[in-house]
Amino acid sequence: MTSRSTGTGAEFDTLYENLRPSLWRYAYRMVGDADAADDVVQEAFVRLLKRPDLTGEDARLWIFTVATNLVRDRGRTAVRRARLLAENPVETRAPTVPEEEYEHEERIAAVRAALEQLPERDRQLLLMREEGFHYDEIAEAVGVAPGSVGTLIARAVKRFTGVYSPREG
Amino acid sequence: MSEHLDEGVLQALLDNELRNGVEAATREHLAACPICRAQYVEVKDANDSLASALALLDPPLPQAPAKMRPRPPSMARRGNWGRFELTRAAAMLLVFAAAASAAIPGSPFRAWLASTLESGEVASAGESEAIVPGPASETAAAAPAETGVSVDLANGSFEVILTEAAPELQIRALLIEGVRGAVYARGDAVDARFSTARGTIRLDGIAGGELRVEIPRSADAASVVIEGRTYLIKDANQLRLIPADESAPTEVRFEVRQ
């Protein structure tokens, strides 16, 4: 395999520009934190740099799979961190916010809570679908038969709407 | 007697994933079976609810500064893999912007937009999905703030939904090359609340100002809907204004470019 540094750089730049917004949104929806999404996306692209053999749709599916694994790893770390925080609680003063802003935050919290109640596979199925992946790609990323993806997504959607309670103002 | 369609088939139909004549056969069955039609509506409603919920979750994504971008080793500056204060600050502002209406005067989000414009970092319109600063005005010294967002099409469709729009709002709609639909706001319109779903951009609370709606030529269908009424559609390779009802209230001003 040969690579030209400028060509590799230009191709990577193109991949970065094309994939970053969608990948960031996927990561943000998975982890619920913008800082964490930044970290996941940055690390995923650093790893993609080491795979100049991947281009186009292969690269897209690969990097989303990597991002999913990174999110999973962060989840394990977050559980440990949450345990530490519970043992050493930090007192915070609740900020005063306008009512409209508060209601918007409540709605966001309801969505976040519903997503977190789903099994990780359901989140991955739904969020990859939202990013425009086809069933065969989702099947490969999740590790299921392509013919089962429709049923799995339908059930995941049902589970989400079953636990999602939008908070009305 | 025909069997009823299972949820996986209905979901796949909704997601445009049925192939090889299966879609046609499924639609034929739906036309003849009220039970499956009712179930399909349930599946669609649940998916719409999910899409709306996820759209609530999305804060605006700032344009990544070029220096943040990972570089191949031959192009990397030494030790330059870490995050920069601007990006961390921008990430914090993302959370703030998600929680707060951008209508708050002097909000850090608007200040960030202004400073980003001043620094000359602009997005390539239609290339990134984000709330991004739009192209700077040619009278750069007093360039008004501009913000916008672009989305992928949903099965070839693009829809812009506007609510709580002031009558003095001006809208420019134009056909563009590329594959993403976009809306950019200037003036008072930058204070509107943006939300997105696949193929849809929604703005609420538009106090005035100007919107630029960019509709890809590649879209099979596109529309601009204001307060529940369709004002503009894409008709083949043209944009067409829908004639106003004589009883309608003050008309929003449109400028259309083909």
Side-chain angles (χ1 to χ4, degrees), chain A residues 25-51:
Chain A
R25 182 176 54 207
Y26 174 77
Y28 177 74
R29 286 173 170 180
M30 287 287 270
V31 300
D33 177 80
D35 245 357
D38 278 348
D39 286 345
V40 166
V41 168
Q42 180 79 355
E43 178 59 27
F45 276 107
V46 167
R47 294 187 186 191
L48 183 62
L49 265 176
K50 299 173 185 171
R51 293 295 306 272

Side-chain angles (χ1 to χ4, degrees), chain B residues 16-83:
Chain B
N16 202 27
E17 290 280 346
L18 294 180
R19 303 275 185 266
N20 300 328
V22 176
E23 181 182 348
T26 302
R27 291 194 184 279
E28 202 176 303
H29 178 92
L30 280 178
C33 179
I35 293 173
C36 287
R37 264 203 312 280
Q39 193 181 359
Y40 182 70
V41 169
E42 274 187 36
V43 168
K44 185 174 186 311
D45 286 349
N47 278 266
D48 287 345
S49 174
L50 170 68
S52 297
L54 292 178
L56 281 175
L57 217 51
D58 291 339
L61 170 66
Q63 176 69 7
K67 57 186 177 180
M68 251 292 295
R69 189 172 310 180
R71 291 287 187 208
S74 61
M75 296 175 68
R77 288 168 28 191
R78 194 176 310 147
N80 193 26
W81 292 105
R83 268 176 295 132

